[in-house]
Amino acid sequence: LQFSPVIITVGLECAGVKGKHKPLQTIALYGMSNIFLNTIVTGTKEMTHKQRPNGLDYLSFPSGHTAEAFASAELMRLEYKNRSPWYGIAGYTMATTTGYLRMYNNRHWLGDVVTGAVIGIMSTRLSYWMYDKILRKRKNITMNNVGL
């Protein structure tokens, strides 16, 4: 469930339903987002050492599954927000369900899930911001090379 929004997004693009970016660009954005979120989630889990509700280990805070789900949902929303708000609603419904199930299955506390959601959303937004900066810089270099 946590990967459903990104799978649907890439699938739609491959099927010809145009999003903001081409499929390979979307995959690159998703990869960047995952680098950010996994770095933050892993580091925070190791620093906070918070016990899970089920007592299994001390890796509760923040929820990595929820971070992943919300990163995917935000990717889907950003790619298709100009086509229909329903894409974003569908993605966020799947992400919210992932977070709920993490609590229902006694793996995370509410704070773990909310923090994971924020990390996921912000990681995807950061990847879009950086990607746009990189593209603009490449475009300026190309234009300067041809004297424009």
Side-chain angles (χ1 to χ4, degrees), residues 9-10 13 21-31 75 79:
T9 300
V10 173
E13 290 174 357
H21 295 93
K22 295 176 182 173
L24 289 178
Q25 292 172 319
T26 302
I27 291 168
L29 285 159
Y30 180 67
L75 181 95
E79 284 300 309

Side-chain angles (χ1 to χ4, degrees), residues 16-93:
V17 181
K18 302 288 186 211
K20 184 176 180 178
H21 295 93
K22 295 176 182 173
L24 289 178
Q25 292 172 319
T26 302
I27 291 168
L29 285 159
Y30 180 67
M32 288 171 61
S33 177
N34 270 265
I35 290 168
F36 298 137
L37 80 86
N38 284 308
T39 301
I40 294 166
V41 166
T42 302
T44 305
K45 282 180 181 285
E46 291 174 5
M47 285 189 318
T48 59
H49 201 68
K50 185 175 178 186
Q51 189 174 26
R52 292 184 187 272
N54 62 8
L56 184 64
D57 60 34
Y58 288 84
L59 299 171
S60 186
F61 183 81
S63 170
H65 287 83
T66 306
E68 180 65 49
F70 276 87
S72 295
E74 182 65 0
L75 181 95
M76 186 176 202
R77 186 189 74 79
L78 290 172
E79 284 300 309
Y80 288 103
K81 68 182 181 182
N82 293 333
R83 289 187 80 76
S84 172
W86 289 104
Y87 291 105
I89 291 168
Y92 272 89
T93 299

